Amino acid sequence: MSIKIEKAETMKQKPESKEIPFGQVFTDHMFVMDYEEGKGWYDPRVIPYAPITLDPAAMIFHYGQTVFEGMKAYRTKDGETLMFRPDKNMERLNKSNRRMSIPEIDEERVLEYVKQLVEVDKEWVPEFEGTSLYIRPFIISTEANLAVAPSQSYKLMIILSPVGPYFAGGMKPVRIKVEDEFTRAVKGGTGAAKTAGNYSAAYRAQANAKKEGHADVLWLDGVEKRYIEEVGSMNIFFKIDGKVITPALSGSILEGVTRMSVLELLKDWDIPVEERKISIAELYQYYEEGKLEEAFGAGTAAVISPVGRLDWLGNTMTINGEEVGPLAKRLYDEITGIQLGVREDAKGWSVKI
Ligand code: COI
C-alpha cells in the first residue's frame, strides 16, 4: 500500500531533553487524505507539516463535525519503534465517525498510513524517560455550506507530536475537582465519541478548577449529577477496600484504550474489579470509612495518573497521603514496560513499525 511521500526540504530542531510540553511541538511531516461523496476516501499522502487552507464556510468551523484519536509510538532501548494497541484506536475512530455522521474509514488501511507517517518521522520518536511520540489522527468536515447537515467532503489528517507527561510533574498525584455545576455529556449525546465539542465544553469548568489549584475536573452524570463518569482527559478508577471500581460505560463515557487495558491486567492479576455505577456520595462514604485506598486516571495521554485529592462541594478527600499508590505504580510500570518493550507482551498489545 504505497502512498505519495513528499519530503520536507528543511528539518526542524528536535527536543533535546525530556522536558517536552504536551502537544506543542510537531514533526516535519503530516498525512492527508480527502473524501468526497460518491468518490470515497482518496489521495492518501505524506507531505511537509504546514498550515492548511480551508473555505471560511467549511462546515467544521460552524457545526463542529469532526472526530479525533490519540495514540502513541515509543522508542525501545534497541532503537525499535512500537505502538500500543493501535487497532483499538482505529476501531474507536469509526465508532466516533458513526456517531458524528462522518464516513467510515478502512481501519487497516489508515493504520498502515499511520505507520508510514511515523516511519518517515521516526527520528522524532523521543528516547528520554517518560516521553513518546503522540499521534493525532483527525477528520474535519470541509464542505463550504452553512446548511445544518453532514458535509459532503472531509479531510483525514494525521499529525505527530513528541510529548512528555500530560500533567506537569509526570507520575505525581494530581488534585481534581468534582464538577458540580457544568455537564460534560449525557446518555444519547456524544460523550462516548472522541469529538471536539466534548473537550471545549469542558473549558469553563477546567478554568474554574485550575484557579483553585486543580489539574482537571471529575465529571458527574449530566442528569442527576450523582454518578461518577470520567475526567475528560482520562477514565477514572478507585481502589476501595481491596477492590477496584470504575464507572461502567454509560453511553456518555469515552471507551478508553488504556481503561480497557487496565481492566484486562487487573483480571489477570486476580484483583477484584467492578465496572458499575458509583455515586460521588458512595465514594465519599468509603472515604470517611477509611476504605478509599487509591484513585487514579487512565488514558493515552495521561497513561496512569494518580489522583491525590478530590474536592467535592467543600469536602476534601485526601487519598493515600497524596502519594503514588502501589496499584497505580504497578499498572504504570506494567503498561509503560509493555509500551517500551521491556516487559513481556503476553497479549500482543505492542505493534512494531
Ligand atoms: C488522549 O489521551 O489521547 C486524549 O485524547 C486526551 C486529550 C485530552 C489529550
Side-chain angles (χ1 to χ4, degrees):
M1 230 177 301
S2 65
I3 56 173
K4 269 184 280 171
I5 297 179
E6 184 196 333
K7 290 276 180 77
E9 280 175 13
T10 53
M11 303 296 174
K12 294 181 275 196
Q13 177 91 25
K14 299 179 182 66
E16 283 166 358
S17 79
K18 64 176 185 180
E19 311 308 326
I20 319 173
F22 184 88
Q24 295 177 31
V25 182
F26 299 95
T27 65
D28 293 313
H29 299 89
M30 61 188 191
F31 173 88
V32 191
M33 173 166 78
D34 297 293
Y35 178 94
E36 259 174 52
E37 196 63 33
K39 188 167 172 183
W41 289 106
Y42 66 96
D43 199 13
R45 58 211 185 264
V46 170
I47 57 174
Y49 187 99
I52 57 169
T53 305
L54 288 178
D55 194 295
M59 293 175 116
I60 175 62
F61 297 133
H62 304 276
Y63 310 120
Q65 192 196 10
T66 180
V67 292
F68 72 94
E69 265 306 321
M71 52 220 287
K72 281 177 172 172
Y74 305 83
R75 164 92 61 234
T76 70
K77 59 177 178 355
D78 304 327
E80 280 179 344
T81 309
L82 298 179
M83 292 176 69
F84 186 71
R85 312 188 78 177
D87 51 318
K88 296 287 169 202
N89 293 88
M90 294 295 109
E91 224 175 280
R92 191 174 61 184
L93 184 56
N94 262 343
K95 276 192 196 166
S96 301
N97 281 339
R98 288 191 284 274
R99 178 63 186 86
M100 297 304 291
S101 304
I102 290 174
E104 289 186 36
I105 50 130
D106 179 324
E107 294 171 23
E108 277 176 32
R109 207 169 260 244
V110 173
L111 181 50
E112 275 310 309
Y113 299 149
V114 170
K115 290 183 189 168
Q116 293 199 30
L117 176 65
V118 174
E119 176 65 29
V120 170
D121 274 340
K122 64 172 183 272
E123 302 294 320
W124 282 88
V125 185
E127 54 194 0
F128 313 106
E129 194 201 330
T131 63
S132 55
L133 185 70
Y134 187 76
I135 304 167
R136 173 54 64 89
F138 61 104
I139 301 176
I140 52 172
S141 46
T142 54
E143 185 190 340
N145 188 342
L146 298 183
V148 180
S151 178
Q152 302 281 300
S153 61
Y154 300 85
K155 260 186 202 307
L156 183 157
M157 302 184 64
I158 308 169
I159 54 174
L160 307 174
S161 173
V163 296
Y166 183 68
F167 291 116
M171 236 320 239
K172 205 177 108 216
V174 289
R175 293 184 173 180
I176 301 279
K177 176 187 173 188
V178 181
E179 177 55 39
D180 53 76
E181 183 186 356
F182 298 106
T183 293
R184 174 184 175 273
V186 288
K187 194 170 175 190
T190 61
K194 222 159 164 57
T195 187
N198 293 338
Y199 295 79
S200 48
Y203 293 165
R204 270 287 294 280
Q206 278 171 345
N208 291 346
K210 279 185 182 153
K211 272 188 231 146
E212 300 155 18
H214 296 99
D216 214 326
V217 299
L218 176 62
W219 296 102
L220 301 179
D221 76 277
V223 177
E224 297 181 72
K225 288 268 194 303
R226 283 175 61 192
Y227 296 101
I228 296 169
E229 297 236 305
E230 59 157 275
V231 175
S233 52
M234 54 192 190
N235 297 108
I236 191 85
F237 289 79
F238 304 101
K239 180 153 178 274
I240 298 165
D241 210 13
K243 186 174 5 178
V244 176
I245 300 180
T246 192
L249 298 175
S250 58
S252 50
I253 295 176
L254 189 84
E255 291 178 40
V257 178
T258 314
R259 175 188 185 278
M260 183 187 300
S261 308
V262 166
L263 289 172
E264 289 179 43
L265 288 174
L266 293 174
K267 283 179 190 149
D268 286 357
W269 295 344
D270 288 325
I271 295 176
V273 45
E274 284 179 6
E275 286 180 77
R276 66 162 169 92
K277 272 184 149 182
I278 175 165
S279 74
I280 187 69
E282 183 185 349
L283 185 77
Y284 190 66
Q285 191 184 329
Y286 292 132
Y287 171 75
E288 290 214 299
E289 291 166 2
K291 292 182 182 164
L292 177 55
E293 297 163 19
E294 284 188 50
F296 54 88
T300 298
V303 196
I304 299 293
S305 286
V307 176
R309 198 172 109 173
L310 280 172
D311 289 292
W312 170 52
L313 291 174
N315 302 300
T316 291
M317 297 177 238
T318 304
I319 306 157
N320 195 42
E322 292 198 80
E323 297 291 333
V324 178
L327 182 60
K329 173 89 174 60
R330 185 175 175 196
L331 284 162
Y332 178 88
D333 289 346
E334 182 71 13
I335 290 174
T336 56
I338 294 171
Q339 288 169 338
L340 291 166
V342 295
R343 291 219 176 172
E344 192 204 349
D345 177 24
K347 294 170 183 294
W349 284 346
S350 278
V351 173
K352 210 179 286 180
I353 294 187

